Amino acid sequence: MKKLITMMVLTLGFTLNAQNTNVTKETKTTTVTVDDGTTEPKKIVKTQKTEAVQDIELKNAESRALNKDIKPTPVKVTETTTVAGDYIPPTEIGKKISYIYDDRTYTLVADKTGYHIINPANKDVGVMRRTSNNNYIYRTKDKISVSYFDAQGNLVIETYDDKSDNITIERYTRVKQ
């Protein structure tokens, strides 16, 4: 008898504390073919994914009424946009990646053609634009450099110094999330 009562109490407790969620996912894909007449047509695919998650909670959950009203709860919406195509590796627009250089954290924010670099003070300090060989041209107001990602995902920036006729290398370490 004790076991039966214990099982009923546990079952009732789990039932009352169960958390339900309402999840809505939507994917919209747009394909564009660009034919400039000089080369074969290039295909560009833009994929927008939207996910909305809402916790479902009941008003007066303790009442014995059969039909209960749902309490309004916030909806958490996540949107990602990915652009890919011929000669364009998949790039998630708006995606943020953090890097550490000289004990300061910098953020790369992806856009359609590369990245914007944001310093710790939340200021845009430069842009990186993809080249045809999957390297990047890194441009700030003071310099133009070549940049790339190494095998570990770290950002490497190589800058030519005209005065010393040398190349300086800056390595930004990727922050694991």
Side-chain angles (χ1 to χ4, degrees):
M1 187 69 172
K2 273 187 181 180
K3 288 183 181 180
L4 181 61
I5 293 173
T6 304
M7 290 296 286
M8 288 176 56
V9 169
L10 285 175
T11 305
L12 184 61
F14 286 131
T15 305
L16 290 177
N17 290 326
Q19 192 72 33
N20 294 321
T21 56
N22 184 16
V23 179
T24 305
K25 294 182 181 182
E26 179 182 327
T27 301
K28 179 181 175 184
T29 303
T30 306
T31 303
V32 176
T33 303
V34 178
D35 187 2
D36 60 5
T38 59
T39 60
E40 61 185 69
K42 295 178 184 169
K43 193 181 291 186
I44 299 172
V45 179
K46 177 181 170 185
T47 305
Q48 294 174 298
K49 294 181 181 179
T50 305
E51 181 179 74
V53 179
Q54 181 180 22
D55 291 333
I56 298 174
E57 296 178 17
L58 301 175
K59 291 181 184 176
N60 303 326
E62 297 81 27
S63 74
R64 293 183 173 254
L66 291 177
N67 296 324
K68 299 178 184 180
D69 291 329
I70 296 175
K71 184 188 324 182
T73 57
V75 179
K76 300 169 194 143
V77 179
T78 305
E79 293 183 8
T80 57
T81 302
T82 304
V83 176
D86 298 338
Y87 310 108
I88 302 172
T91 303
E92 212 174 283
I93 297 173
K95 181 179 179 180
K96 295 181 180 183
I97 309 168
S98 296
Y99 290 87
I100 295 177
Y101 178 74
D102 204 17
D103 292 329
R104 296 173 64 190
T105 302
Y106 293 84
T107 304
L108 268 63
V109 180
D111 64 11
K112 289 181 182 178
T113 56
Y115 297 94
H116 283 270
I117 300 176
I118 312 297
N119 68 8
N122 239 4
K123 302 267 188 214
D124 194 343
V125 294
V127 293
M128 290 173 46
R129 295 295 175 231
R130 188 184 316 274
T131 63
S132 60
N133 61 356
N134 285 333
N135 287 332
Y136 293 85
I137 295 174
Y138 170 65
R139 185 173 103 1
T140 66
K141 66 178 184 176
D142 300 333
K143 64 183 177 182
I144 297 177
S145 306
V146 175
S147 61
Y148 57 92
F149 297 100
D150 65 11
Q152 292 77 32
N154 299 322
L155 173 63
V156 180
I157 298 175
E158 297 183 4
T159 306
Y160 174 71
D161 183 8
D162 207 17
K163 294 177 185 173
S164 66
D165 195 28
N166 286 324
I167 294 178
T168 59
I169 298 175
E170 300 172 9
R171 186 173 307 275
Y172 291 69
T173 306
R174 184 171 181 169
V175 176
K176 301 296 180 196
Q177 298 174 347

